[in-house]
C-alpha cells in the first residue's frame, strides 16, 4: 500500500483540507472533551486533524492527522463488518437496524423490545455484536486489532490499556446493559468476558490516517486493501446504510442533513465517513456536543461535502 504524505503540492483533496483547517481554526465554541471517561477528559478540545484516503491508499491530511487518539465507538463499524462477514443475515435476528432516538447508553428500549438492541452502534447493540464475534473467533478484540493493522498498514496500532482500565472502572451502565440482554438470552459469553472484550475494543488508539485507510473497504464495496473480499457488495451497502441512519447516536438525522455521507462517531472525538466508490475520511477533534459528537468534526465534514460536492445525495 502506498501512502502519500500530505504536502502543499499534493493534488486533489489537499487544498480543500487546508481550507477547512483554516476555517475550523477560527471557529469559536468547540465543545467539551468526554469527562465521564477520565482518561479522555484531559484532551484539548481545540486539537484538530483530518485525513482523506483514496482507494489506492493515497492519503492527504492536515493538522493532527497523524496523532493517535482513542477510537472508541468508531471501532463498532469494523466489529460489525467482521461479524457480518462470518454469520450474514443471522446477525440481524439479535440486533436491529433502526435509529434509536435515545442516548447511546440508554436502557429504556431494551425492556420493551425484549433485549434486542435497536441498532449495532448504540452500546447495547455493539455489545451484542462483540459477543457474537467473540463466540466465533475466541478473541473479538484481537481480531479487530489485526484487521485494523492490516487495513491501515500500521503494525504499531495497539490497545490503550489505560483507557480500557478507565472505562472498566466506570462501566456500570455497560455492565447493566449486558446483564439485561443476557437475561433475555441475547448474550452468549459470560458478561465479565464480554465487557473486557468491549472495553479493549473501544480503547484502540489510531490516527486519522490509520482510520481513513482502514475504512476504505466500505468505499470499495467490501473489498479489502489486499484485494480480497470481506463483505459482499450488498453487505457493504448494509453497513453504509446503518452508518448513515444510526452512526452518530441520536443526532443521525442532523448529520445526514448536514454531511450527506455514511459516518460513525466516537466520544474520543473522531468521526469516519465514506464516499462510496471514491474515498474515505476521518476527522478528529476532542470537543463534543451534548450528543457525543465532535463539534469541529461535524463542521469539517459539512464543509468537505459542500466544497467538493461529494455526497451520496
Amino acid at each position: 500500500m502506498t501512502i502519500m504524505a500530505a504536502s502543499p503540492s499534493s493534488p486533489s483533496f489537499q487544498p480543500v483540507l487546508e481550507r477547512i483547517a483554516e476555517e475550523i481554526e477560527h471557529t469559536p465554541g468547540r465543545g467539551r472533551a468526554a469527562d465521564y471517561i477520565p482518561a479522555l477528559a484531559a484532551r484539548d478540545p481545540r486539537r484538530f486533524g483530518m485525513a482523506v484516503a483514496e482507494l489506492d491508499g493515497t492519503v492527504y491530511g492536515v493538522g493532527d492527522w497523524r496523532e493517535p487518539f482513542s477510537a472508541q465507538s468508531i471501532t463498532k463499524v469494523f466489529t460489525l463488518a467482521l461479524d457480518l462477514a462470518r454469520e450474514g443475515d443471522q446477525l440481524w435476528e439479535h440486533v436491529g437496524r433502526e435509529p434509536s432516538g435515545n442516548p447511546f447508553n440508554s436502557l429504556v428500549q431494551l425492556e420493551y423490545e425484549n433485549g434486542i438492541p435497536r441498532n449495532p452502534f448504540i452500546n447495547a447493540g455493539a455489545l451484542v455484536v462483540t459477543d457474537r464475534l467473540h463466540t466465533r473467533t475466541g478473541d473479538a478484540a484481537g481480531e479487530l486489532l489485526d484487521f485494523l493493522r492490516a487495513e491501515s498498514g500500521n503494525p504499531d496500532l495497539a490497545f490503550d490499556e489505560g483507557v480500557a482500565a478507565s472505562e472498566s472502572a466506570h462501566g456500570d451502565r455497560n455492565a447493566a446493559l449486558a446483564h439485561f440482554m443476557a437475561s433475555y438470552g441475547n448474550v452468549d459469553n459470560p458478561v465479565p468476558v464480554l465487557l473486557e472484550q468491549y472495553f479493549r475494543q473501544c480503547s484502540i488508539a489510531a490516527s486519522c490516517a490509520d482510520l481513513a485507510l482502514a475504512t476504505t473497504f466500505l468505499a470499495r464495496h467490501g473489498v479489502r486493501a489486499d484485494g480480497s473480499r470481506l463483505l459482499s457488495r450488498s453487505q457493504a451497502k448494509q453497513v453504509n446504510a446503518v452508518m448513515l441512519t444510526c452512526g452518530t447516536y441520536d443526532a443521525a438525522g442532523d448529520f445526514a442533513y448536514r454531511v450527506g455521507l455514511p459516518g460513525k462517531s466516537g466520544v474520543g472525538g473522531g468521526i469516519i465517513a465514506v464516499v462510496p466508490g471514491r474515498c474515505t475520511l476521518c476527522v478528529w477533534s476532542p470537543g463534543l456536543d451534548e450528543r457525543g459528537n465532535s463539534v469541529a468534526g461535524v463542521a469539517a465534514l459539512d464543509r468537505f461535502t459542500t466544497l467538493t460536492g461529494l455526497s451520496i445525495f
Side-chain angles (χ1 to χ4, degrees), residues 30-34 36 45 266-270 285-290 292-295:
R30 299 280 282 273
R32 297 176 55 188
Y36 62 93
V267 296
S285 186
L288 309 179
D289 62 22
E290 67 279 2
N293 297 311
S294 171
V295 174

Side-chain angles (χ1 to χ4, degrees), residues 13 17 37 44 49 93 111 120 141 176 182 200 204 218 222 245 253 297 306:
F13 293 116
L17 293 181
I37 302 174
D44 179 358
E93 298 173 12
E111 184 163 13
R200 284 174 66 77
I204 290 173
L218 288 173
T245 57
T306 297

Side-chain angles (χ1 to χ4, degrees), residues 43-306:
R43 285 291 202 173
D44 179 358
R46 294 198 64 83
R47 298 289 295 276
F48 175 81
M50 188 172 184
V52 178
E54 294 184 317
L55 304 191
D56 64 356
T58 302
V59 186
Y60 308 93
V62 288
D64 300 311
W65 67 299
R66 292 289 197 188
E67 174 76 15
F69 62 90
S70 187
Q72 292 294 310
S73 288
I74 290 174
T75 61
K76 296 172 182 177
V77 171
F78 306 106
T79 308
L80 172 61
L82 289 169
D83 187 71
L84 189 61
R86 284 168 171 78
E87 65 169 322
D89 287 347
Q90 185 181 350
L91 169 63
W92 303 119
E93 298 173 12
H94 300 269
V95 61
R97 302 187 293 270
E98 295 293 337
S100 69
N102 285 311
F104 57 84
N105 59 356
S106 174
L107 284 153
V108 174
Q109 287 173 327
L110 278 177
E111 184 163 13
Y112 62 81
E113 294 182 349
N114 300 315
I116 305 295
R118 186 62 70 89
N119 67 68
F121 296 148
I122 55 175
N123 287 15
L127 284 163
V128 167
V129 175
T130 296
D131 176 67
R132 299 186 69 76
L133 182 63
H134 190 66
T135 296
R136 283 154 181 78
T137 64
D139 184 6
E143 191 78 12
L144 168 66
L145 183 60
D146 288 345
F147 177 81
L148 292 176
R149 285 172 171 172
E151 297 307 292
S152 68
N154 182 359
D156 296 326
L157 292 184
F159 302 112
D160 186 322
E161 300 296 349
V163 169
S166 182
E167 292 198 62
S168 179
H170 297 82
D172 290 340
R173 177 64 67 93
N174 285 315
L177 291 166
H179 280 293
F180 193 84
M181 291 186 296
S183 76
Y184 280 94
N186 202 23
V187 167
D188 294 333
N189 295 281
V191 168
V193 172
L194 169 57
L195 292 173
E196 180 187 14
Q197 287 286 316
Y198 180 72
F199 294 141
R200 284 174 66 77
Q201 165 189 320
C202 291
S203 77
I204 290 173
S207 69
C208 291
D210 295 326
L211 290 170
L213 284 166
T215 308
T216 53
F217 76 99
L218 288 173
R220 289 191 293 264
H221 308 294
V223 176
R224 297 184 58 169
D226 64 2
S228 65
R229 180 169 287 281
L230 175 69
L231 300 175
S232 69
R233 194 178 183 95
S234 178
Q235 288 173 326
K237 177 195 70 176
Q238 292 168 2
V239 174
N240 280 325
V242 178
M243 287 173 67
L244 179 70
T245 57
C246 308
T248 45
Y249 311 123
D250 53 333
D254 186 64
F255 185 84
Y257 175 85
R258 292 183 61 185
V259 177
L261 294 174
K264 182 72 195 84
S265 60
V267 296
I271 308 174
I272 57 172
V274 180
V275 185
R278 181 65 189 274
C279 65
T280 52
L281 304 98
C282 182
V283 61
W284 171 63
S285 186
L288 309 179
D289 62 22
E290 67 279 2
R291 290 173 170 174
N293 297 311
S294 171
V295 174
V298 174
L301 291 170
D302 182 357
R303 289 299 291 150
F304 178 85
T305 55
T306 297

